[in-house]
Amino acid sequence: QVQLVESGGGLVQTGGSLRLSCAASGRTFSSYFMGWFRQAPGKERVFVAAISRSGGTTNYADSVKGRFTISRDNAKNVVDLQMNSLKPEDTAVYYCAASLRMMATTSRTWDYWGQGTQVTVSS
């Protein structure tokens, strides 16, 4: 089992940047695929980015490709999401997720979730 705690959210203007971090507990962090999802008010939770266990493979939603970068440090049990060129439509609660099985884009395939961190982009 793994516990996930996100940090780094906040309020930023359009075009600005934020870096989200997700700290994981446990000694088997490198066994997990890691991902980020987001949920805007009144909408479903959607995939943002995912990274393989070694960090060698990443996947991004089309809406963030070229602007967001996911990375991980298995020695520190951390996965980050660097968000650049932020837009108002990026406003959402961002969730860190972990899976032992796969790095899918559907939320139901992920096993563990953090509590979320709010990102607000003002226009």
Side-chain angles (χ1 to χ4, degrees):
Q1 190 169 353
V2 62
Q3 284 79 45
L4 306 173
V5 179
E6 302 97 333
S7 61
L11 174 65
V12 64
Q13 292 185 333
T14 297
S17 298
L18 280 175
R19 188 176 184 88
L20 305 183
S21 288
C22 174
S25 66
R27 296 174 291 177
T28 59
F29 177 71
S30 60
S31 300
Y32 292 89
F33 298 98
M34 298 300 298
W36 287 94
F37 286 73
R38 66 187 182 188
Q39 188 167 17
K43 296 187 177 181
E44 65 180 18
R45 192 172 298 187
V46 297
F47 172 78
V48 175
I51 191 166
S52 63
R53 287 171 289 197
S54 68
T57 301
T58 57
N59 188 28
Y60 296 93
D62 288 342
S63 58
V64 307
K65 202 170 292 183
R67 300 188 297 123
F68 291 11
T69 302
I70 188 171
S71 60
R72 68 188 296 164
D73 185 335
N74 286 343
K76 296 181 179 179
N77 285 13
V78 171
V79 59
D80 291 338
L81 186 69
Q82 177 66 43
M83 306 185 296
N84 298 329
S85 302
L86 283 162
K87 306 174 181 179
E89 51 264 44
D90 294 318
T91 295
V93 177
Y94 283 70
Y95 296 91
C96 176
S99 172
L100 285 170
R101 294 170 289 170
M102 64 183 73
M103 43 186 280
T105 59
T106 52
S107 60
R108 65 178 181 273
T109 62
W110 293 79
D111 304 308
Y112 303 100
W113 295 87
Q115 82 288 349
T117 185
Q118 177 70 47
V119 171
T120 303
V121 184
S122 63
S123 57

